[in-house]
Amino acid sequence: MIQRVAIIGLGTMGPGIAARLARGGLEVCAYDVAPAAIERAGAMLSAAETVLDALGIARTSGGAVRFTDSLADVVSGADLVIENVPENIEMKAEVYRAIDSLIGPETIVASDTSGIPITSLQAHISHPERMVGMHWSNPPHIVPMIEVIAGERTAPETVATIRDLIRALGLLPVLVKKDVPGFVENRVLYALLREVVDLVERGVIEPEDVDTCVSWGIGYKLAVVGPMALLDMAGMDIYHSVSTFLNTDLADRKDVAPLVTKQMAAGKLGIKSGEGIYSYTSERIAELQRERARKLVAIRRILEGGE
Ligand code: NAD
């Protein structure tokens, strides 16, 4: 049974995950290599707790979060380690090598990687059968779906333990049966992003109109009817006949679209640099973060059958 969890990496994802696990009664110890990240994590944890209150998620007794600046301390006695360091295989491998002699053979090591195959991460740890993908969606304290991915050497019991833990927390585990790059959530997202970037590049539509089209068209529906159920709603005959002429015209480029590489070269990275597809002031960024969290909470409450 999982009771003690170590979180390694307190950037965008770590604090929200820590807050959600503690709310479910787990003893969480959290660590980052950067002291500034540990300092920031306290405020991020409080903000996540406020959102969990707004979601009406009950507090299970015994749950708490403690921060530490020691790697040996964070993993000491942990039943589960969740690695949340940047999406870079070498950085992740360095963490696995560093904790290898500090954890017991029973400790499960889960990676929150967005899409690096778990099989390639398993090469860097002594007990690959205890390594698994546990891919949270951002913001992790609000989005209830978590992908669980087995690498080639992951034991079925490891997958079952993580799946049961997610269920016990009242969250939704999704089992990814093959260790494909990007898993499922990001493959679907990147297929969508490839298409919309292509449509904007070809001058078919303006970015604002893409956002309205997707958010208030298919996006609005998808939160209620999943894509496979949507196939049934539309009918196989319709999907078949549209696919015969549309599939050959859909974006299928293998490289990164020029729109993205040009923006990157110009330092226009999006919210983090103040400009990307749109422009942002620091006030607008704070306002967007509040507004998006509030709307995600409201929608989730409705979808779960609340008021
Ligand atoms: P981030 O860059 O915001 O934070 C990473 C943190 O890891 C930083 O605070 C950094 O100081 C710390 N770190 C780096 N090396 C370390 C080490 N050796 N030991 C301890 N801490 C170390 O990254 P993030 O967005 O939180 O993403 C973390 C992981 O989660 C990535 O694999 C990412 O792909 C995945 N993920 C991200 C999102 C997202 O939307 N941001 C969503 C789902 C999954």
Side-chain angles (χ1 to χ4, degrees):
M1 204 181 100
I2 306 285
Q3 185 52 41
R4 289 215 49 203
V5 183
I7 306 261
I8 299 183
L10 290 168
T12 306
M13 299 297 285
I17 295 174
R20 184 61 188 86
L21 296 175
R23 182 61 61 114
L26 296 168
E27 293 162 43
V28 180
C29 190
Y31 161 83
D32 197 290
V33 76
I38 300 181
E39 222 164 275
R40 270 194 309 271
M44 291 170 77
L45 185 79
S46 307
E49 279 169 349
T50 306
V51 173
L52 290 170
D53 289 339
L55 277 169
I57 295 171
R59 204 178 285 273
T60 306
S61 65
V65 180
R66 177 171 77 80
F67 293 104
T68 180
D69 60 2
S70 151
L71 185 65
D73 183 26
V74 76
V75 297
S76 162
D79 304 308
L80 167 65
V81 175
I82 304 179
E83 168 275 302
N84 275 292
V85 307
E87 192 72 347
N88 172 308
I89 197 160
E90 201 28 61
M91 288 176 91
K92 289 183 186 294
E94 201 181 305
V95 170
Y96 306 145
R97 285 193 292 266
I99 63 172
D100 211 30
S101 61
L102 302 171
I103 58 174
E106 296 302 308
T107 306
I108 292 180
V109 177
S111 177
D112 185 22
T113 170
S114 299
I116 300 173
I118 303 306
T119 304
S120 62
L121 298 178
Q122 286 178 314
H124 305 281
I125 202 145
S126 298
H127 291 280
E129 70 281 4
R130 309 284 291 175
M131 175 175 268
V132 66
M134 187 183 194
H135 178 225
W136 298 66
S137 197
N138 188 22
H141 51 290
I142 303 181
V143 183
M145 188 286 302
I146 302 173
E147 288 179 298
V148 180
I149 312 103
E152 275 168 19
R153 295 198 280 164
T154 309
E157 306 83 66
T158 305
V159 173
T161 304
I162 294 302
R163 191 197 54 210
D164 292 349
L165 171 72
I166 295 169
R167 283 198 187 130
L169 287 163
L171 299 170
L172 299 169
V174 166
L175 187 62
V176 180
K177 291 161 61 183
K178 290 193 177 163
D179 192 16
V180 290
F183 315 133
V184 173
E185 190 189 28
N186 277 325
R187 289 181 80 95
V188 173
L189 175 63
Y190 275 70
L192 176 93
L193 292 177
R194 179 164 68 174
E195 183 62 36
V196 294
V197 166
D198 186 64
L199 289 168
V200 169
E201 274 185 327
R202 287 165 55 198
V204 174
I205 191 165
E206 291 300 318
E208 294 82 356
D209 288 332
V210 173
D211 283 350
T212 305
C213 176
V214 175
S215 295
W216 279 110
I218 49 171
Y220 172 55
K221 267 189 300 205
L222 285 175
V224 178
V225 187
M228 298 308 288
L230 207 60
L231 263 182
D232 276 351
M233 212 168 109
M236 294 301 157
D237 50 336
I238 304 293
Y239 182 67
H240 184 276
S241 76
V242 175
S243 295
T244 55
F245 67 85
L246 188 56
N247 283 3
T248 55
D249 199 58
L250 292 174
D252 66 350
R253 65 180 315 141
K254 303 290 179 217
D255 61 346
V256 181
L259 182 150
V260 176
T261 44
K262 275 189 206 146
Q263 293 268 97
M264 231 181 101
K268 296 180 179 174
L269 305 182
I271 285 184
K272 67 180 84 167
S273 68
E275 194 175 348
I277 303 293
Y278 304 117
S279 295
Y280 307 87
T281 60
S282 47
E283 297 76 43
R284 180 68 186 135
I285 293 168
E287 190 183 298
L288 274 178
Q289 279 164 347
R290 276 193 304 273
E291 188 183 303
R292 288 175 179 170
R294 183 180 58 75
K295 288 181 177 171
L296 286 171
V297 167
I299 291 170
R300 186 165 152 198
R301 290 195 70 124
I302 300 245
L303 290 173
E304 287 177 341
E307 70 286 1

